Amino acid sequence: GAVVSQHPSRVICKSGTSVKIECRSLDFQATTMFWYRQFPKQSLMLMATSNEGSKATYEQGVEKDKFLINHASLTLSTLTVTSAHPEDSSFYICSASEGAGYGYTFGSGTRLTVV
Amino acid sequence: GDSVTQMEGPVTLSEEAFLTINCTYTATGYPSLFWYVQYPGEGLQLLLKATKADDKGSNKGFEATYRKETTSFHLEKGSVQVSDSAVYFCALSDRWSGGSNYKLTFGKGTLLTVNP
């Protein structure tokens, strides 16, 4: 079945630094990738949707300059949290899809802690 | 806009008990419906799905039926196991939402704990 690899699984960084999270589709071409942030008590918030080769579409309230998303190839998307602050600490999850009707495959998530 | 409402947890059951997690939705189009499961510290895994009215999705003993008349997609399992302890998310993808890249809209999740 479809597999999405997300790295790193855990990262601790200092306040003010940037962190990059990678999401790779291992056995299919992901035309669309989605980035979510999961808050305490489970709720998932869609941050942005990215299509290969074009700019990401951000959800309302998500800072584009803070959460940089790149989808340069059909198998790789990256989320960079720039100038991280403690309030950015969260669980970030990516999801990839080959297209409408193909379903969604999720990465295993990245636990970001900003100290 | 699209939304998903699922019963709030946490839900605590004894092994072999019957499970129901309610889920209702609102959508502008004709959505596909999903249940995802998240085990501690992991991402989401697709549990089951249904793409049209009256479809029944099933997997690992779990079932859910797409009820258009009641806009519901309740998750059921006849006999839960300790290994079913996880967070369960109901979600929809509205294929007619146009320009939204068929994104998933999630409920808030329900934590299930099954005790031996």
Side-chain angles (χ1 to χ4, degrees), chain A residues 73-91:
Chain A
S73 77
L74 284 170
T75 59
L76 174 65
S77 177
T78 60
L79 167 67
T80 302
V81 182
T82 62
S83 187
H85 290 285
E87 56 265 31
D88 298 325
S89 298
S90 195
F91 194 58

PDB file of all heavy atoms in Angstrom, chain A residues 73-91:
ATOM      1  N   SER A  73       8.809  18.433  -5.813  1.00  0.00           N
ATOM      2  CA  SER A  73       8.735  17.236  -6.656  1.00  0.00           C
ATOM      3  C   SER A  73       7.478  16.460  -6.289  1.00  0.00           C
ATOM      4  O   SER A  73       6.807  16.774  -5.311  1.00  0.00           O
ATOM      5  CB  SER A  73       9.966  16.360  -6.453  1.00  0.00           C
ATOM      6  OG  SER A  73       9.866  15.639  -5.241  1.00  0.00           O
ATOM      7  N   LEU A  74       7.184  15.445  -7.067  1.00  0.00           N
ATOM      8  CA  LEU A  74       5.978  14.656  -6.843  1.00  0.00           C
ATOM      9  C   LEU A  74       6.118  13.695  -5.667  1.00  0.00           C
ATOM     10  O   LEU A  74       5.157  13.008  -5.316  1.00  0.00           O
ATOM     11  CB  LEU A  74       5.614  13.862  -8.099  1.00  0.00           C
ATOM     12  CG  LEU A  74       4.966  14.686  -9.207  1.00  0.00           C
ATOM     13  CD1 LEU A  74       4.869  13.873 -10.487  1.00  0.00           C
ATOM     14  CD2 LEU A  74       3.580  15.154  -8.784  1.00  0.00           C
ATOM     15  N   THR A  75       7.283  13.673  -5.058  1.00  0.00           N
ATOM     16  CA  THR A  75       7.465  12.765  -3.923  1.00  0.00           C
ATOM     17  C   THR A  75       7.935  13.459  -2.656  1.00  0.00           C
ATOM     18  O   THR A  75       8.119  12.806  -1.634  1.00  0.00           O
ATOM     19  CB  THR A  75       8.485  11.656  -4.268  1.00  0.00           C
ATOM     20  OG1 THR A  75       9.732  12.267  -4.614  1.00  0.00           O
ATOM     21  CG2 THR A  75       7.983  10.790  -5.417  1.00  0.00           C
ATOM     22  N   LEU A  76       8.126  14.755  -2.708  1.00  0.00           N
ATOM     23  CA  LEU A  76       8.662  15.439  -1.532  1.00  0.00           C
ATOM     24  C   LEU A  76       8.005  16.786  -1.301  1.00  0.00           C
ATOM     25  O   LEU A  76       7.898  17.607  -2.202  1.00  0.00           O
ATOM     26  CB  LEU A  76      10.174  15.643  -1.701  1.00  0.00           C
ATOM     27  CG  LEU A  76      10.874  16.471  -0.605  1.00  0.00           C
ATOM     28  CD1 LEU A  76      10.804  15.738   0.729  1.00  0.00           C
ATOM     29  CD2 LEU A  76      12.323  16.745  -0.991  1.00  0.00           C
ATOM     30  N   SER A  77       7.578  16.981  -0.049  1.00  0.00           N
ATOM     31  CA  SER A  77       7.120  18.290   0.395  1.00  0.00           C
ATOM     32  C   SER A  77       7.804  18.586   1.720  1.00  0.00           C
ATOM     33  O   SER A  77       8.037  17.671   2.515  1.00  0.00           O
ATOM     34  CB  SER A  77       5.605  18.321   0.561  1.00  0.00           C
ATOM     35  OG  SER A  77       5.171  19.579   1.062  1.00  0.00           O
ATOM     36  N   THR A  78       8.132  19.842   1.934  1.00  0.00           N
ATOM     37  CA  THR A  78       8.759  20.223   3.200  1.00  0.00           C
ATOM     38  C   THR A  78       7.993  21.359   3.845  1.00  0.00           C
ATOM     39  O   THR A  78       7.436  22.229   3.166  1.00  0.00           O
ATOM     40  CB  THR A  78      10.228  20.656   3.010  1.00  0.00           C
ATOM     41  OG1 THR A  78      10.273  21.788   2.124  1.00  0.00           O
ATOM     42  CG2 THR A  78      11.069  19.532   2.447  1.00  0.00           C
ATOM     43  N   LEU A  79       7.974  21.324   5.162  1.00  0.00           N
ATOM     44  CA  LEU A  79       7.413  22.399   5.976  1.00  0.00           C
ATOM     45  C   LEU A  79       8.544  22.949   6.823  1.00  0.00           C
ATOM     46  O   LEU A  79       9.182  22.193   7.564  1.00  0.00           O
ATOM     47  CB  LEU A  79       6.292  21.863   6.873  1.00  0.00           C
ATOM     48  CG  LEU A  79       5.820  22.788   8.010  1.00  0.00           C
ATOM     49  CD1 LEU A  79       5.122  24.020   7.445  1.00  0.00           C
ATOM     50  CD2 LEU A  79       4.868  22.039   8.956  1.00  0.00           C
ATOM     51  N   THR A  80       8.807  24.233   6.691  1.00  0.00           N
ATOM     52  CA  THR A  80       9.825  24.872   7.511  1.00  0.00           C
ATOM     53  C   THR A  80       9.156  25.840   8.468  1.00  0.00           C
ATOM     54  O   THR A  80       8.460  26.760   8.024  1.00  0.00           O
ATOM     55  CB  THR A  80      10.856  25.618   6.634  1.00  0.00           C
ATOM     56  OG1 THR A  80      11.464  24.692   5.728  1.00  0.00           O
ATOM     57  CG2 THR A  80      11.939  26.257   7.500  1.00  0.00           C
ATOM     58  N   VAL A  81       9.382  25.622   9.735  1.00  0.00           N
ATOM     59  CA  VAL A  81       8.893  26.534  10.765  1.00  0.00           C
ATOM     60  C   VAL A  81      10.007  27.539  11.015  1.00  0.00           C
ATOM     61  O   VAL A  81      11.072  27.174  11.519  1.00  0.00           O
ATOM     62  CB  VAL A  81       8.519  25.790  12.051  1.00  0.00           C
ATOM     63  CG1 VAL A  81       7.956  26.759  13.082  1.00  0.00           C
ATOM     64  CG2 VAL A  81       7.530  24.668  11.763  1.00  0.00           C
ATOM     65  N   THR A  82       9.793  28.766  10.623  1.00  0.00           N
ATOM     66  CA  THR A  82      10.848  29.772  10.725  1.00  0.00           C
ATOM     67  C   THR A  82      10.730  30.535  12.046  1.00  0.00           C
ATOM     68  O   THR A  82       9.626  30.744  12.560  1.00  0.00           O
ATOM     69  CB  THR A  82      10.771  30.761   9.564  1.00  0.00           C
ATOM     70  OG1 THR A  82       9.508  31.443   9.626  1.00  0.00           O
ATOM     71  CG2 THR A  82      10.866  30.047   8.228  1.00  0.00           C
ATOM     72  N   SER A  83      11.881  30.914  12.567  1.00  0.00           N
ATOM     73  CA  SER A  83      11.928  31.678  13.810  1.00  0.00           C
ATOM     74  C   SER A  83      10.941  31.090  14.831  1.00  0.00           C
ATOM     75  O   SER A  83      10.006  31.754  15.290  1.00  0.00           O
ATOM     76  CB  SER A  83      11.586  33.152  13.548  1.00  0.00           C
ATOM     77  OG  SER A  83      11.792  33.919  14.708  1.00  0.00           O
ATOM     78  N   ALA A  84      11.180  29.853  15.148  1.00  0.00           N
ATOM     79  CA  ALA A  84      10.238  29.118  16.002  1.00  0.00           C
ATOM     80  C   ALA A  84      10.151  29.714  17.408  1.00  0.00           C
ATOM     81  O   ALA A  84      11.142  30.211  17.953  1.00  0.00           O
ATOM     82  CB  ALA A  84      10.660  27.656  16.081  1.00  0.00           C
ATOM     83  N   HIS A  85       8.959  29.638  17.948  1.00  0.00           N
ATOM     84  CA  HIS A  85       8.718  30.088  19.320  1.00  0.00           C
ATOM     85  C   HIS A  85       8.047  28.965  20.090  1.00  0.00           C
ATOM     86  O   HIS A  85       7.472  28.048  19.480  1.00  0.00           O
ATOM     87  CB  HIS A  85       7.832  31.331  19.310  1.00  0.00           C
ATOM     88  CG  HIS A  85       8.514  32.538  18.778  1.00  0.00           C
ATOM     89  ND1 HIS A  85       9.453  33.244  19.490  1.00  0.00           N
ATOM     90  CD2 HIS A  85       8.414  33.151  17.583  1.00  0.00           C
ATOM     91  CE1 HIS A  85       9.894  34.246  18.761  1.00  0.00           C
ATOM     92  NE2 HIS A  85       9.282  34.219  17.593  1.00  0.00           N
ATOM     93  N   PRO A  86       8.068  29.015  21.396  1.00  0.00           N
ATOM     94  CA  PRO A  86       7.469  27.934  22.187  1.00  0.00           C
ATOM     95  C   PRO A  86       6.017  27.640  21.805  1.00  0.00           C
ATOM     96  O   PRO A  86       5.598  26.491  21.850  1.00  0.00           O
ATOM     97  CB  PRO A  86       7.596  28.446  23.619  1.00  0.00           C
ATOM     98  CG  PRO A  86       8.842  29.277  23.611  1.00  0.00           C
ATOM     99  CD  PRO A  86       8.833  29.953  22.263  1.00  0.00           C
ATOM    100  N   GLU A  87       5.284  28.653  21.396  1.00  0.00           N
ATOM    101  CA  GLU A  87       3.881  28.414  21.019  1.00  0.00           C
ATOM    102  C   GLU A  87       3.736  27.629  19.723  1.00  0.00           C
ATOM    103  O   GLU A  87       2.620  27.187  19.378  1.00  0.00           O
ATOM    104  CB  GLU A  87       3.101  29.731  20.915  1.00  0.00           C
ATOM    105  CG  GLU A  87       3.689  30.740  19.960  1.00  0.00           C
ATOM    106  CD  GLU A  87       4.587  31.745  20.661  1.00  0.00           C
ATOM    107  OE1 GLU A  87       5.223  31.391  21.678  1.00  0.00           O
ATOM    108  OE2 GLU A  87       4.657  32.886  20.177  1.00  0.00           O
ATOM    109  N   ASP A  88       4.835  27.459  18.994  1.00  0.00           N
ATOM    110  CA  ASP A  88       4.808  26.629  17.783  1.00  0.00           C
ATOM    111  C   ASP A  88       4.971  25.151  18.125  1.00  0.00           C
ATOM    112  O   ASP A  88       4.834  24.292  17.232  1.00  0.00           O
ATOM    113  CB  ASP A  88       5.922  27.050  16.818  1.00  0.00           C
ATOM    114  CG  ASP A  88       5.767  28.488  16.345  1.00  0.00           C
ATOM    115  OD1 ASP A  88       4.611  28.929  16.175  1.00  0.00           O
ATOM    116  OD2 ASP A  88       6.793  29.166  16.167  1.00  0.00           O
ATOM    117  N   SER A  89       5.284  24.869  19.375  1.00  0.00           N
ATOM    118  CA  SER A  89       5.426  23.467  19.784  1.00  0.00           C
ATOM    119  C   SER A  89       4.111  22.750  19.544  1.00  0.00           C
ATOM    120  O   SER A  89       3.047  23.210  19.966  1.00  0.00           O
ATOM    121  CB  SER A  89       5.791  23.394  21.273  1.00  0.00           C
ATOM    122  OG  SER A  89       7.029  24.024  21.521  1.00  0.00           O
ATOM    123  N   SER A  90       4.201  21.634  18.851  1.00  0.00           N
ATOM    124  CA  SER A  90       2.983  20.932  18.467  1.00  0.00           C
ATOM    125  C   SER A  90       3.356  19.640  17.760  1.00  0.00           C
ATOM    126  O   SER A  90       4.528  19.318  17.581  1.00  0.00           O
ATOM    127  CB  SER A  90       2.148  21.815  17.532  1.00  0.00           C
ATOM    128  OG  SER A  90       0.819  21.332  17.411  1.00  0.00           O
ATOM    129  N   PHE A  91       2.351  18.907  17.340  1.00  0.00           N
ATOM    130  CA  PHE A  91       2.518  17.702  16.536  1.00  0.00           C
ATOM    131  C   PHE A  91       2.086  18.055  15.121  1.00  0.00           C
ATOM    132  O   PHE A  91       0.937  18.459  14.903  1.00  0.00           O
ATOM    133  CB  PHE A  91       1.664  16.570  17.118  1.00  0.00           C
ATOM    134  CG  PHE A  91       1.986  15.203  16.604  1.00  0.00           C
ATOM    135  CD1 PHE A  91       3.261  14.671  16.739  1.00  0.00           C
ATOM    136  CD2 PHE A  91       1.013  14.426  16.003  1.00  0.00           C
ATOM    137  CE1 PHE A  91       3.572  13.396  16.282  1.00  0.00           C
ATOM    138  CE2 PHE A  91       1.314  13.138  15.544  1.00  0.00           C
ATOM    139  CZ  PHE A  91       2.586  12.631  15.681  1.00  0.00           C
TER     140      PHE A  91
END
